[in-house]
Amino acid sequence: MAQNERMKLARKALGLSQEELARQIEVSRQTINMIERGDYNPTLKLCIQICHALGKTLDELFWEEESQ
């Protein structure tokens, strides 16, 4: 599963909208949307903020396994 899908599922599992998550980490809703679509690679700082907001680790949300 791609990072953007994991992030979207984690957000929805907490019942958060893109707007609510964006407000928590002080970015625009468009930024969250672009990350979830895979159109934007967030900085490490932003990844950490997203993880804290969603209660996940960097590995859980953003680690990409190599294709076999």
Side-chain angles (χ1 to χ4, degrees), residues 40-58:
Y40 179 75
N41 287 322
T43 64
L44 179 57
K45 180 181 176 183
L46 183 52
C47 288
I48 291 169
Q49 290 174 305
I50 292 168
C51 288
H52 284 290
L54 298 178
K56 299 288 184 181
T57 66
L58 283 169

Side-chain angles (χ1 to χ4, degrees), residues 5-18:
E5 294 172 36
R6 291 190 300 266
M7 181 178 145
K8 184 176 183 177
L9 289 174
R11 176 181 59 77
K12 287 187 170 200
L14 292 176
L16 293 174
S17 68
Q18 288 181 345

Side-chain angles (χ1 to χ4, degrees), residues 2-66:
Q3 73 171 15
N4 51 324
E5 294 172 36
R6 291 190 300 266
M7 181 178 145
K8 184 176 183 177
L9 289 174
R11 176 181 59 77
K12 287 187 170 200
L14 292 176
L16 293 174
S17 68
Q18 288 181 345
E19 183 69 36
E20 290 166 327
L21 177 58
R23 255 191 309 246
Q24 283 186 25
I25 59 175
E26 300 179 341
V27 298
S28 69
R29 183 205 55 80
Q30 290 84 356
T31 298
I32 300 300
N33 183 268
M34 289 187 331
I35 294 169
E36 288 185 355
R37 285 193 335 243
D39 294 338
Y40 179 75
N41 287 322
T43 64
L44 179 57
K45 180 181 176 183
L46 183 52
C47 288
I48 291 169
Q49 290 174 305
I50 292 168
C51 288
H52 284 290
L54 298 178
K56 299 288 184 181
T57 66
L58 283 169
D59 283 352
E60 288 173 320
L61 288 185
F62 296 103
W63 184 257
E64 291 287 333
E65 292 292 328
E66 289 187 37

